[in-house]
Amino acid sequence: MRRRTGAALLLPLVLAGCGIRETDVVEAGGAATVLVQPVPEDRMTLYFVGPDGRMMPMVRDTGRPWPSTTSPAGETVPYDGFGPEYEISAGALRRERITTEKVLAALMAGPVDREAAAGATTALPQGGKGVPRVEAGPGGPSAQTRRLRVSFPVRGLPEAAVRQLVCTTAFAEDPTGRTEVTVTGPDGSLPAAGCEG
């Protein structure tokens, strides 16, 4: 019994004299960035309108397979990763970055069934012709600005439609979404905008 009492009395003395001093909080930088998937090139982020009217990002897995060594050159195969009734060259089915124009084509086609079931809708005009095109903005291709050319008038677009275009383009161009986008249509250009919260 004496040993237990002695050990109990020594423990606070040992802990008090261990030399650890109290310190203030140390700032260590921003939060860590985590990728959603090890191969993000196989996914694209499309911005639709949610039930509450706010932007609803939907990550769509393109599911692109490895190229087939038996496919003849020039053969096209059905592929619905970018929307219904889309065909792609068999030789193009390889793991590489999805072009912004293909991401925008998927956006313009609207939400697929599973996205619509989750409440995603679109404010973009339907049945429009032509896929939006992305060009370098002021400062050239290395700058974080892009000009998005669409085939429909932009001045009367609802704010939600503009945000769909801007956010989808920003994240297709840069995984962090830090790209400013100027939307331009046949009736002129909108002010440059980014995809902030």
Side-chain angles (χ1 to χ4, degrees):
M1 191 143 186
R2 284 186 182 180
R3 286 185 184 192
R4 288 185 185 167
T5 305
L9 290 174
L10 284 176
L11 185 61
L13 291 173
V14 171
L15 291 176
C18 68
I20 298 175
R21 296 181 185 173
E22 187 176 318
T23 62
D24 292 332
V25 175
V26 177
E27 294 292 330
T33 301
V34 179
L35 294 176
V36 176
Q37 173 187 355
V39 187
E41 294 84 9
D42 285 349
R43 290 189 171 186
M44 60 182 159
T45 304
L46 307 173
Y47 281 80
F48 293 110
V49 181
D52 59 357
R54 297 188 329 180
M55 287 297 96
M56 184 177 193
M58 301 297 290
V59 177
R60 192 180 292 180
D61 188 353
T62 60
R64 293 178 293 164
W66 290 99
S68 168
T69 55
T70 59
S71 298
E75 177 187 357
T76 59
V77 292
Y79 177 68
D80 65 356
F82 300 115
E85 299 179 24
Y86 184 88
E87 288 193 347
I88 191 168
S89 162
L93 288 174
R94 62 182 187 273
R95 300 205 185 267
E96 62 184 24
R97 184 179 173 277
I98 301 166
T99 65
T100 302
E101 281 80 9
K102 287 188 178 176
V103 174
L104 290 165
L107 177 71
M108 294 303 296
V112 294
D113 291 341
R114 69 172 176 77
E115 294 162 344
T121 60
T122 185
L124 291 166
Q126 297 299 295
K129 296 185 179 184
V131 175
R133 299 282 174 222
V134 178
E135 304 168 351
S142 62
Q144 293 291 97
T145 59
R146 297 292 181 265
R147 179 175 304 281
L148 176 63
R149 293 196 180 275
V150 297
S151 61
F152 46 85
V154 296
R155 296 219 179 258
L157 281 178
E159 178 62 27
V162 175
R163 291 201 42 81
Q164 281 185 262
L165 291 168
V166 168
C167 290
T168 300
T169 302
F171 279 92
E173 287 289 310
D174 175 9
T176 65
R178 294 184 190 142
T179 301
E180 281 204 341
V181 180
T182 301
V183 180
T184 301
D187 59 342
S189 296
L190 299 177
C195 185
E196 293 85 29

